[in-house]
Protein backbone atom coordinates (compact mmCIF):
# COMPACT_ATOMS: atom_id res chain seq x y z
CA UNK A 1 0.00 0.00 0.00
CA UNK A 2 1.27 3.49 -0.81
CA UNK A 3 1.25 5.79 2.20
CA UNK A 4 1.86 9.54 2.47
CA UNK A 5 5.23 10.70 1.24
CA UNK A 6 7.30 13.72 0.31
CA UNK A 7 9.50 13.67 -2.79
CA UNK A 8 12.12 16.31 -3.47
CA UNK A 9 14.02 16.14 -6.73
CA UNK A 10 17.56 17.51 -6.42
CA UNK A 11 18.82 19.39 -9.47
CA UNK A 12 20.98 16.92 -11.34
CA UNK A 13 22.40 16.97 -14.84
CA UNK A 14 23.95 13.70 -15.94
CA UNK A 15 25.75 12.78 -19.15
CA UNK A 16 26.11 8.99 -19.21
CA UNK A 17 27.80 6.58 -21.60
CA UNK A 18 31.06 5.63 -23.27
CA UNK A 19 33.37 8.34 -24.62
CA UNK A 20 31.35 10.95 -22.74
CA UNK A 21 34.53 12.49 -21.27
CA UNK A 22 34.70 14.35 -24.58
CA UNK A 23 31.69 16.38 -23.39
CA UNK A 24 33.75 17.93 -20.55
CA UNK A 25 34.48 21.23 -22.34
CA UNK A 26 30.87 21.74 -23.41
CA UNK A 27 29.63 20.91 -19.90
CA UNK A 28 32.00 23.53 -18.43
CA UNK A 29 30.84 26.11 -20.97
CA UNK A 30 27.23 25.22 -20.24
CA UNK A 31 27.54 26.52 -16.68
CA UNK A 32 29.58 29.50 -17.80
CA UNK A 33 33.05 28.25 -16.77
CA UNK A 34 36.07 29.95 -18.37
CA UNK A 35 39.04 28.50 -16.45
CA UNK A 36 38.87 25.08 -14.79
CA UNK A 37 41.12 23.65 -12.08
CA UNK A 38 41.30 19.87 -12.55
CA UNK A 39 41.36 17.84 -9.30
CA UNK A 40 42.66 14.26 -9.03
CA UNK A 41 44.41 11.92 -6.59
CA UNK A 42 48.17 11.44 -7.10
CA UNK A 43 47.37 8.05 -8.69
CA UNK A 44 45.13 9.63 -11.34
CA UNK A 45 47.44 12.57 -12.11
CA UNK A 46 48.11 11.35 -15.68
CA UNK A 47 44.38 11.06 -16.44
CA UNK A 48 43.90 14.59 -15.13
CA UNK A 49 46.70 15.97 -17.30
CA UNK A 50 45.28 14.29 -20.40
CA UNK A 51 41.89 15.82 -19.62
CA UNK A 52 43.56 19.22 -19.08
CA UNK A 53 45.22 19.02 -22.51
CA UNK A 54 41.85 18.16 -24.09
CA UNK A 55 40.21 21.16 -22.39
CA UNK A 56 42.57 23.55 -24.22
CA UNK A 57 41.98 27.18 -23.24
CA UNK A 58 39.51 26.14 -20.52
CA UNK A 59 42.32 24.42 -18.58
CA UNK A 60 43.69 26.62 -15.78
CA UNK A 61 45.76 24.06 -13.86
CA UNK A 62 45.76 20.78 -11.97
CA UNK A 63 45.78 19.89 -8.28
CA UNK A 64 46.58 16.16 -8.06
CA UNK A 65 46.53 15.97 -4.26
CA UNK A 66 43.06 14.66 -3.27
CA UNK A 67 43.08 12.11 -0.41
CA UNK A 68 40.47 10.09 1.50
CA UNK A 69 38.13 11.84 4.00
CA UNK A 70 38.78 15.39 2.70
CA UNK A 71 41.29 16.71 5.26
CA UNK A 72 40.94 20.49 5.69
CA UNK A 73 44.72 20.97 5.30
CA UNK A 74 44.54 19.51 1.76
CA UNK A 75 41.53 21.70 0.94
CA UNK A 76 43.52 24.76 2.01
CA UNK A 77 46.37 23.84 -0.36
CA UNK A 78 43.86 23.32 -3.17
CA UNK A 79 42.31 26.71 -2.40
CA UNK A 80 45.72 28.32 -2.88
CA UNK A 81 46.10 26.47 -6.21
CA UNK A 82 42.62 27.64 -7.27
CA UNK A 83 43.52 31.27 -6.58
CA UNK A 84 47.01 31.08 -8.09
CA UNK A 85 45.74 29.84 -11.43
CA UNK A 86 42.75 32.17 -11.33
CA UNK A 87 40.23 29.36 -11.88
CA UNK A 88 36.49 30.01 -11.80
CA UNK A 89 35.36 26.36 -11.65
CA UNK A 90 36.63 22.88 -10.83
CA UNK A 91 36.59 19.52 -12.59
CA UNK A 92 36.81 16.63 -10.11
CA UNK A 93 38.06 13.53 -11.95
CA UNK A 94 38.17 10.50 -9.64
CA UNK A 95 36.45 8.65 -6.82
CA UNK A 96 34.70 9.96 -3.73
CA UNK A 97 37.91 11.48 -2.34
CA UNK A 98 38.33 13.73 -5.37
CA UNK A 99 34.63 14.58 -5.47
CA UNK A 100 34.89 15.54 -1.78
CA UNK A 101 37.70 17.99 -2.51
CA UNK A 102 35.66 19.64 -5.28
CA UNK A 103 32.74 20.00 -2.88
CA UNK A 104 34.96 21.47 -0.17
CA UNK A 105 36.17 24.12 -2.64
CA UNK A 106 32.60 24.86 -3.78
CA UNK A 107 31.50 25.30 -0.17
CA UNK A 108 34.24 27.87 0.47
CA UNK A 109 34.22 29.77 -2.83
CA UNK A 110 30.94 29.03 -4.62
CA UNK A 111 32.77 27.73 -7.72
CA UNK A 112 30.77 25.52 -10.07
CA UNK A 113 31.73 21.86 -10.31
CA UNK A 114 31.88 19.35 -13.11
CA UNK A 115 32.25 15.95 -11.51
CA UNK A 116 33.55 12.90 -13.38
CA UNK A 117 33.29 9.89 -11.06
CA UNK A 118 35.57 6.90 -11.64
CA UNK A 119 34.32 4.70 -8.78
CA UNK A 120 30.82 3.76 -7.58
CA UNK A 121 30.97 5.71 -4.27
CA UNK A 122 28.13 8.06 -5.23
CA UNK A 123 29.16 11.37 -3.67
CA UNK A 124 28.52 13.23 -6.94
CA UNK A 125 24.72 13.00 -6.46
CA UNK A 126 24.63 14.23 -2.86
CA UNK A 127 24.55 17.67 -1.22
CA UNK A 128 26.71 16.19 1.56
CA UNK A 129 30.36 16.85 2.38
CA UNK A 130 32.38 15.01 5.03
CA UNK A 131 35.60 16.73 6.11
CA UNK A 132 38.28 15.85 8.64
CA UNK A 133 40.28 18.13 10.88
CA UNK A 134 42.53 17.01 13.75
CA UNK A 135 41.22 13.43 13.33
CA UNK A 136 37.57 14.49 13.68
CA UNK A 137 35.11 13.95 10.82
CA UNK A 138 32.27 16.44 10.44
CA UNK A 139 29.47 16.29 7.90
CA UNK A 140 27.61 19.20 6.35
CA UNK A 141 24.50 19.03 4.18
CA UNK A 142 24.31 22.07 1.92
CA UNK A 143 22.92 22.30 -1.62
CA UNK A 144 25.91 24.51 -2.50
CA UNK A 145 28.16 21.42 -2.62
CA UNK A 146 26.04 19.51 -5.15
CA UNK A 147 27.92 19.42 -8.50
CA UNK A 148 26.31 21.38 -11.36
CA UNK A 149 27.09 18.67 -13.88
CA UNK A 150 28.18 15.01 -13.78
CA UNK A 151 29.75 13.00 -16.57
CA UNK A 152 29.71 9.21 -16.16
CA UNK A 153 32.11 7.65 -18.66
CA UNK A 154 32.29 3.86 -18.56
CA UNK A 155 35.73 3.96 -20.23
CA UNK A 156 37.20 5.57 -17.09
CA UNK A 157 35.98 2.71 -14.91
CA UNK A 158 37.72 -0.01 -16.96
CA UNK A 159 40.93 0.61 -14.99
CA UNK A 160 39.12 -0.01 -11.69
CA UNK A 161 40.56 -3.39 -10.67
CA UNK A 162 37.88 -6.06 -10.12
CA UNK A 163 38.49 -6.16 -6.34
CA UNK A 164 38.00 -2.36 -6.16
CA UNK A 165 34.92 -2.57 -8.41
CA UNK A 166 33.53 -5.25 -6.06
CA UNK A 167 33.83 -3.25 -2.83
CA UNK A 168 32.93 0.06 -4.47
CA UNK A 169 29.86 -1.63 -5.97
CA UNK A 170 28.71 -3.04 -2.62
CA UNK A 171 29.33 0.43 -1.13
CA UNK A 172 26.81 1.71 -3.71
CA UNK A 173 24.35 -1.11 -2.92
CA UNK A 174 24.46 0.01 0.73
CA UNK A 175 23.00 3.42 -0.23
CA UNK A 176 20.08 1.79 -2.02
CA UNK A 177 19.50 -0.80 0.71
CA UNK A 178 19.22 1.85 3.42
CA UNK A 179 17.06 4.03 1.13
CA UNK A 180 14.51 1.21 1.01
CA UNK A 181 13.86 1.51 4.75
CA UNK A 182 14.53 5.26 5.13
CA UNK A 183 12.07 7.19 7.27
CA UNK A 184 11.72 9.75 4.47
CA UNK A 185 11.67 7.14 1.68
CA UNK A 186 9.24 7.39 -1.23
CA UNK A 187 8.05 5.15 -4.08
CA UNK A 188 10.25 6.75 -6.77
CA UNK A 189 13.45 6.37 -4.77
CA UNK A 190 12.42 2.80 -3.91
CA UNK A 191 12.17 2.00 -7.64
CA UNK A 192 15.62 3.45 -8.26
CA UNK A 193 17.03 1.62 -5.24
CA UNK A 194 15.75 -1.76 -6.30
CA UNK A 195 16.94 -1.31 -9.88
CA UNK A 196 20.34 -0.04 -8.67
CA UNK A 197 20.86 -3.12 -6.49
CA UNK A 198 19.72 -5.41 -9.29
CA UNK A 199 22.08 -3.84 -11.83
CA UNK A 200 25.12 -4.00 -9.53
CA UNK A 201 24.41 -7.51 -8.24
CA UNK A 202 24.17 -8.66 -11.86
CA UNK A 203 27.20 -6.75 -13.14
CA UNK A 204 29.81 -7.22 -10.39
CA UNK A 205 30.24 -11.01 -10.79
CA UNK A 206 30.50 -10.49 -14.57
CA UNK A 207 33.26 -7.89 -14.04
CA UNK A 208 35.07 -10.27 -11.68
CA UNK A 209 34.93 -13.00 -14.33
CA UNK A 210 35.91 -10.72 -17.24
CA UNK A 211 37.29 -7.30 -16.22
CA UNK A 212 37.04 -5.86 -19.74
CA UNK A 213 33.34 -6.77 -20.11
CA UNK A 214 32.03 -3.38 -21.26
CA UNK A 215 28.40 -4.33 -20.96
CA UNK A 216 28.90 -5.31 -17.31
CA UNK A 217 30.96 -2.18 -16.61
CA UNK A 218 28.16 -0.08 -18.13
CA UNK A 219 25.48 -1.82 -16.07
CA UNK A 220 27.54 -1.38 -12.89
CA UNK A 221 28.03 2.35 -13.48
CA UNK A 222 24.34 2.76 -14.26
CA UNK A 223 23.48 0.94 -11.02
CA UNK A 224 25.96 3.09 -9.11
CA UNK A 225 24.30 6.25 -10.42
CA UNK A 226 20.86 5.03 -9.30
CA UNK A 227 22.22 4.16 -5.85
CA UNK A 228 23.92 7.57 -5.65
CA UNK A 229 20.60 9.32 -6.30
CA UNK A 230 19.13 7.34 -3.38
CA UNK A 231 21.98 8.47 -1.12
CA UNK A 232 21.39 12.11 -2.03
CA UNK A 233 17.62 11.95 -1.69
CA UNK A 234 16.81 10.24 1.61
CA UNK A 235 18.31 9.75 5.06
CA UNK A 236 20.65 6.87 5.86
CA UNK A 237 20.57 4.81 9.07
CA UNK A 238 22.59 2.33 11.17
CA UNK A 239 24.78 0.96 8.39
CA UNK A 240 26.09 4.34 7.25
CA UNK A 241 26.47 5.55 10.82
CA UNK A 242 28.52 2.45 11.71
CA UNK A 243 30.76 2.78 8.65
CA UNK A 244 31.26 6.49 9.30
CA UNK A 245 32.23 5.75 12.90
CA UNK A 246 34.50 2.80 12.09
CA UNK A 247 36.18 4.60 9.18
CA UNK A 248 36.74 7.80 11.14
CA UNK A 249 37.87 6.19 14.40
CA UNK A 250 40.19 3.51 13.03
CA UNK A 251 41.04 5.04 9.64
CA UNK A 252 39.61 2.06 7.76
CA UNK A 253 39.24 2.06 3.96
CA UNK A 254 35.78 3.35 2.96
CA UNK A 255 34.44 0.84 0.40
CA UNK A 256 35.87 -2.24 2.16
CA UNK A 257 34.30 -1.17 5.45
CA UNK A 258 30.89 -0.81 3.78
CA UNK A 259 31.26 -4.22 2.16
CA UNK A 260 32.03 -5.96 5.45
CA UNK A 261 29.39 -4.22 7.59
CA UNK A 262 26.39 -4.27 5.21
CA UNK A 263 25.19 -7.88 5.73
CA UNK A 264 25.38 -7.43 9.51
CA UNK A 265 23.54 -4.10 9.52
CA UNK A 266 20.80 -5.59 7.32
CA UNK A 267 20.46 -8.61 9.63
CA UNK A 268 20.06 -6.20 12.57
CA UNK A 269 17.37 -4.15 10.82
CA UNK A 270 15.55 -7.08 9.17
CA UNK A 271 12.89 -7.62 11.87
CA UNK A 272 11.93 -3.92 11.70
CA UNK A 273 11.87 -3.55 7.90
CA UNK A 274 10.47 -6.75 6.34
CA UNK A 275 9.18 -5.14 3.14
CA UNK A 276 12.50 -3.42 2.41
CA UNK A 277 14.34 -6.71 3.02
CA UNK A 278 12.05 -8.48 0.57
CA UNK A 279 12.80 -5.90 -2.10
CA UNK A 280 16.57 -6.08 -1.46
CA UNK A 281 16.47 -9.89 -1.60
CA UNK A 282 14.43 -9.80 -4.82
CA UNK A 283 16.91 -7.37 -6.42
CA UNK A 284 19.79 -9.63 -5.41
CA UNK A 285 18.02 -12.74 -6.63
CA UNK A 286 18.49 -14.21 -3.15
CA UNK A 287 16.21 -15.66 -0.51
CA UNK A 288 17.35 -13.24 2.20
CA UNK A 289 18.77 -9.70 2.02
CA UNK A 290 21.61 -10.02 4.57
CA UNK A 291 22.67 -13.46 3.37
CA UNK A 292 22.40 -12.33 -0.24
CA UNK A 293 24.92 -9.52 0.35
CA UNK A 294 27.19 -11.80 2.37
CA UNK A 295 27.12 -14.34 -0.44
CA UNK A 296 27.78 -11.68 -3.11
CA UNK A 297 30.81 -10.36 -1.19
CA UNK A 298 32.12 -13.90 -0.74
CA UNK A 299 31.69 -14.72 -4.42
CA UNK A 300 33.57 -11.53 -5.31
CA UNK A 301 36.44 -12.55 -3.01
CA UNK A 302 36.03 -9.39 -0.94
CA UNK A 303 37.48 -9.28 2.56
CA UNK A 304 34.84 -10.23 5.13
CA UNK A 305 36.52 -9.29 8.42
CA UNK A 306 37.18 -5.82 9.87
CA UNK A 307 40.31 -7.23 11.54
CA UNK A 308 41.72 -7.89 8.05
CA UNK A 309 41.41 -4.24 7.01
CA UNK A 310 43.09 -2.67 10.03
CA UNK A 311 40.58 -2.53 12.90
CA UNK A 312 42.34 -3.14 16.23
CA UNK A 313 41.24 -6.02 18.52
CA UNK A 314 40.28 -3.68 21.34
CA UNK A 315 38.11 -1.43 19.11
CA UNK A 316 34.83 -3.35 19.32
CA UNK A 317 33.52 -1.78 22.54
CA UNK A 318 34.61 1.70 21.53
CA UNK A 319 32.79 1.32 18.19
CA UNK A 320 29.65 0.00 19.92
CA UNK A 321 29.65 2.97 22.32
CA UNK A 322 30.06 5.45 19.47
CA UNK A 323 27.34 3.76 17.40
CA UNK A 324 24.71 4.44 20.06
CA UNK A 325 25.76 7.97 21.03
CA UNK A 326 24.25 10.96 19.18
CA UNK A 327 20.95 9.17 18.63
CA UNK A 328 19.79 9.02 15.01
CA UNK A 329 16.79 7.46 13.36
CA UNK A 330 16.94 3.75 12.54
CA UNK A 331 14.06 1.39 11.74
CA UNK A 332 15.00 -0.73 14.77
CA UNK A 333 15.85 1.00 18.05
CA UNK A 334 19.57 1.05 18.83
CA UNK A 335 20.40 -1.70 21.32
CA UNK A 336 23.99 -1.45 22.49
CA UNK A 337 24.60 -5.12 23.26
CA UNK A 338 23.12 -6.38 19.97
CA UNK A 339 25.10 -3.76 18.07
CA UNK A 340 28.24 -4.85 19.91
CA UNK A 341 27.51 -8.40 18.78
CA UNK A 342 27.02 -7.15 15.20
CA UNK A 343 30.41 -5.40 15.25
CA UNK A 344 32.09 -8.44 16.82
CA UNK A 345 30.75 -10.63 14.00
CA UNK A 346 31.93 -8.15 11.37
CA UNK A 347 35.31 -7.94 13.11
CA UNK A 348 35.79 -11.71 12.98
CA UNK A 349 34.36 -12.15 9.45
CA UNK A 350 31.47 -14.34 10.56
CA UNK A 351 28.24 -14.58 8.55
CA UNK A 352 25.36 -12.26 9.54
CA UNK A 353 23.36 -13.19 12.63
CA UNK A 354 20.53 -15.68 11.95
CA UNK A 355 17.01 -14.23 11.73
CA UNK A 356 15.40 -13.63 15.14
P1 LIG B 1 38.77 7.04 -3.48
O1 LIG B 1 38.20 8.19 -4.20
O2 LIG B 1 39.64 7.32 -2.30
O3 LIG B 1 39.55 6.13 -4.51
C1 LIG B 1 40.31 5.02 -4.04
C2 LIG B 1 41.58 4.87 -4.90
O4 LIG B 1 41.21 4.37 -6.17
C3 LIG B 1 42.32 6.18 -5.14
O5 LIG B 1 43.70 5.97 -5.06
C4 LIG B 1 41.93 6.54 -6.56
O6 LIG B 1 42.91 7.29 -7.23
C5 LIG B 1 41.76 5.17 -7.18
N1 LIG B 1 40.83 5.14 -8.30
C6 LIG B 1 39.64 5.77 -8.39
N2 LIG B 1 39.04 5.49 -9.55
C7 LIG B 1 39.87 4.65 -10.22
C8 LIG B 1 39.80 4.02 -11.50
N3 LIG B 1 38.74 4.13 -12.28
N4 LIG B 1 40.84 3.26 -11.87
C9 LIG B 1 41.91 3.08 -11.07
N5 LIG B 1 42.03 3.65 -9.85
C10 LIG B 1 41.01 4.43 -9.43
O7 LIG B 1 37.64 6.02 -2.97
P2 LIG B 1 36.05 6.06 -3.01
O8 LIG B 1 35.60 4.83 -2.34
O9 LIG B 1 35.55 6.36 -4.37
O10 LIG B 1 35.67 7.33 -2.14
C11 LIG B 1 35.77 7.29 -0.73
C12 LIG B 1 35.61 8.69 -0.16
O11 LIG B 1 34.41 9.29 -0.64
C13 LIG B 1 35.52 8.70 1.36
O12 LIG B 1 36.26 9.78 1.86
C14 LIG B 1 34.03 8.88 1.62
O13 LIG B 1 33.77 9.46 2.87
C15 LIG B 1 33.63 9.77 0.47
N6 LIG B 1 32.20 9.67 0.11
C16 LIG B 1 31.40 10.75 0.33
C17 LIG B 1 30.06 10.71 0.01
C18 LIG B 1 29.18 11.91 0.21
O14 LIG B 1 28.02 11.89 -0.17
N7 LIG B 1 29.68 12.97 0.79
C19 LIG B 1 29.51 9.55 -0.58
C20 LIG B 1 30.35 8.46 -0.80
C21 LIG B 1 31.71 8.53 -0.46
Amino acid sequence: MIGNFCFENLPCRVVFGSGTLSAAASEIERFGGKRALVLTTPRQDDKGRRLGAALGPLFAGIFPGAVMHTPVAVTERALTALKECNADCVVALGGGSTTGLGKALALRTGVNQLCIPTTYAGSEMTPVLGETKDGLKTTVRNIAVLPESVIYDVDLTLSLAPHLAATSGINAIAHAAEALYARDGNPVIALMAEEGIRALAHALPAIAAKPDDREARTEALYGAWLCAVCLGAVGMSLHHKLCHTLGGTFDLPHAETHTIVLPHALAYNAPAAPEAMQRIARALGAGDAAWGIHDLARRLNAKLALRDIGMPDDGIDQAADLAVTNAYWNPRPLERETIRDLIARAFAGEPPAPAE
Side-chain angles (χ1 to χ4, degrees), residues 41 43-44 47 68-70 94-98 103 118-123 126 128-130 137 156-161 164 168 171 175 231 254-255:
T41 58
R43 217 207 271 188
Q44 291 180 303
K47 273 187 184 148
M68 187 102 61
H69 305 311
T70 331
S97 300
T98 309
K103 288 175 160 184
T118 61
T119 69
Y120 308 137
S123 177
T126 83
V128 176
L129 166 65
K137 189 161 183 175
L156 296 170
T157 65
L158 289 170
S159 57
L160 198 60
L164 291 178
S168 196
N171 177 195
H175 312 328
L231 177 67
H254 179 81

